[in-house]
Amino acid sequence: MWVIRWLLPALVPAVLLAFGVYRSDTRREPPLLVLFTFVLGAVFGVGTFWLQQWAGRWAGFDIRASAAGEASALLFLFCVVAPVREGVKVAAAWPAFRSRYFDEPYDGIVYASAAALG
């Protein structure tokens, strides 16, 4: 049940994004490539979550300021969590960026949004 609680907020914007892209773009993106980017973002996101948990236990850091203190939480957030999460979004969207369908600036928004929603 907890999975639905976390997946539903991500699926609603993903469906709206797909509908908006389909309706507005004259040179439409292939839906399978957008879906692949979304799924890749989800898979990498789960991996990032586990990596973040492992790194936090290994280093003794935590995102919660109440558990680790403000300085430790900020250090962990800015030096570990944020760079890894942003790098994973780029990695999830990279196959789409390298495809022949990436031919206009708007495509970057489409694929980056699909990777982030994943």
Side-chain angles (χ1 to χ4, degrees):
M1 189 65 176
W2 65 271
V3 174
I4 294 172
R5 190 178 103 200
W6 289 105
L7 285 180
L8 190 60
L11 291 177
V12 171
V15 169
L16 291 174
L17 174 72
F19 182 72
V21 167
Y22 182 78
R23 293 277 319 240
S24 66
D25 197 4
T26 56
R27 293 180 291 169
R28 293 186 176 92
E29 302 305 314
L32 287 178
L33 188 57
V34 175
L35 182 65
F36 176 71
T37 304
F38 175 78
V39 169
L40 205 57
V43 170
F44 286 172
V46 170
T48 301
F49 173 76
W50 292 113
L51 178 69
Q52 172 187 319
Q53 295 298 321
W54 175 82
R57 280 192 308 265
W58 180 77
F61 291 138
D62 198 346
I63 291 178
R64 297 170 298 168
S66 63
E70 290 181 15
S72 295
L74 284 174
L75 181 69
F76 185 61
L77 185 64
F78 286 119
C79 294
V80 176
V81 175
V84 170
R85 286 185 182 179
E86 294 305 315
V88 163
K89 289 175 196 170
V90 171
W94 194 257
F97 292 149
R98 300 286 298 164
S99 74
R100 64 184 173 96
Y101 299 105
F102 191 84
D103 56 359
E104 57 186 343
Y106 182 72
D107 295 344
I109 296 171
V110 171
Y111 293 119
S113 299
L117 284 170

